[in-house]
Amino acid sequence: MIAALYANLRRPPRTPSEWAADAVRAAAIVGFVVAAVTLPATDAAVLSMTLPAVMLARMLGLRAGFDLATCLTVIVAAGSNVIDLYRAWTGWDLVVHAVCTGVLAAVALVLLDDTGVIARTGRRRTPIVVATGAGLALSAVWEMVEWFGYRFITDSIFVTYDDTIGDMVAGGIGALVAGILASRLPLTRGDRAAV
């Protein structure tokens, strides 16, 4: 599996969408480095969470559009925190939770399939069920991270019961939609290195 991940990482971009995804990935890396030097440690830490997602998208050999969507989504999610959009725009938090969780649940589908955790049944409902479950799990983990940050790092993190449950519901809905789309569309390139 490591060899396939490395081969997908090394494969040069071939289409405009692949070039765009790599440009966004590079911007995420540069943005984090600049943030680490110029912003408070908490903001740099938030931006650092984009790096595993943008790199994993490339390493898994995701289709160009899905790769680009993954990169943009996690950067928008983290950047919205850094520039305080979640407080400024009512409802933005729920939109980002739905979209970001949906995208990450679809990435989780690819990863779970590649590692043999889920069997290739050929049934259309499998990605729907697995993506929804993965999305709800990711939502729960994220809310625990928020609580931990609020409890032990800074009380400027907005954490309430209603916010937590609302975020998890939005994430679950996003993951369900991602599962439905994944049951109908391929998520990976046809020429990717087999994992």
Side-chain angles (χ1 to χ4, degrees), residues 60-76:
L60 289 173
L62 301 182
R63 290 181 66 182
F66 182 39
D67 182 6
L68 180 59
T70 300
C71 293
L72 289 172
T73 300
V74 298
I75 290 169
V76 166

Side-chain angles (χ1 to χ4, degrees), residues 140-151:
V141 168
W142 180 253
E143 293 305 317
M144 288 180 229
V145 168
E146 277 189 354
W147 171 84
F148 182 86
Y150 170 76
R151 181 75 173 88

Side-chain angles (χ1 to χ4, degrees), residues 1-182:
M1 178 170 179
I2 300 298
L5 293 173
Y6 184 63
N8 288 323
L9 181 64
R10 288 186 48 224
R11 177 190 173 272
R14 297 182 180 144
T15 67
S17 295
E18 289 176 355
W19 279 102
D22 280 352
V24 171
R25 204 175 338 274
I29 294 166
V30 170
F32 165 70
V33 171
V34 169
V37 174
T38 61
L39 295 179
T42 53
D43 289 342
V46 167
L47 292 175
S48 76
M49 289 189 272
T50 65
L51 301 181
V54 300
M55 296 311 296
L56 186 61
R58 181 75 151 91
M59 295 167 77
L60 289 173
L62 301 182
R63 290 181 66 182
F66 182 39
D67 182 6
L68 180 59
T70 300
C71 293
L72 289 172
T73 300
V74 298
I75 290 169
V76 166
S80 293
N81 185 298
V82 171
I83 62 174
D84 218 16
L85 286 184
Y86 295 125
R87 290 183 199 261
W89 295 352
T90 304
W92 182 243
D93 184 41
L94 296 175
V95 170
V96 172
H97 272 280
V99 174
C100 193
T101 304
V103 166
L104 293 178
V107 171
L109 267 177
V110 173
L111 191 59
L112 292 170
D113 185 47
D114 284 351
T115 56
V117 172
I118 56 173
R120 295 179 186 189
T121 64
R123 295 181 178 165
R124 277 197 151 168
R125 65 181 172 249
T126 301
I128 298 169
V129 172
V130 173
T132 304
L136 288 169
L138 288 168
S139 292
V141 168
W142 180 253
E143 293 305 317
M144 288 180 229
V145 168
E146 277 189 354
W147 171 84
F148 182 86
Y150 170 76
R151 181 75 173 88
F152 298 106
I153 298 172
T154 176
D155 61 1
S156 67
I157 297 172
F158 183 71
V159 177
T160 66
Y161 180 78
D162 287 344
D163 176 67
T164 296
I165 298 302
D167 291 350
M168 291 176 71
V169 168
I173 291 168
L176 173 64
V177 170
I180 292 168
L181 292 173

